[in-house]
Amino acid sequence: MLWRIEQRKEGVIVTFDSNLLFGNGSARLNRYAKERICELARVVADFSNNRIHLVDGANCGRRLSTRRANVVANLVRSSEMRGASSLCVP
């Protein structure tokens, strides 16, 4: 599965498997990833009344995980979906 979505009191947590989206040790999206992120944007739009938290599920270190989550968040925001303004990277 590419991502897991959980509803919690602090908002909606989207945990994504960055190993399928990024090269090893990289924060650059692969070709496959952009289409999948567009799918994620459509899902996020369904949660437009909630705060959306993006979390990298890979064990690749905090700094790289944050960079990856920001890349995903920026791509979702650029898709101009309804819920994109509520995205954040914890």
Side-chain angles (χ1 to χ4, degrees), residues 4 6-13 15 50-51 53 55:
R4 184 179 70 247
E6 301 172 72
Q7 183 105 31
R8 296 187 187 163
K9 66 179 181 178
E10 62 269 21
V12 176
I13 310 297
T15 304
N50 292 286
R51 186 169 182 88
H53 300 270
V55 178

Side-chain angles (χ1 to χ4, degrees), residues 32-52:
Y32 168 81
K34 291 186 181 182
E35 291 177 18
R36 304 293 76 82
I37 304 272
C38 288
E39 289 175 14
L40 174 62
R42 288 189 287 277
V43 171
V44 166
D46 292 338
F47 296 100
S48 62
N49 294 329
N50 292 286
R51 186 169 182 88
I52 312 290

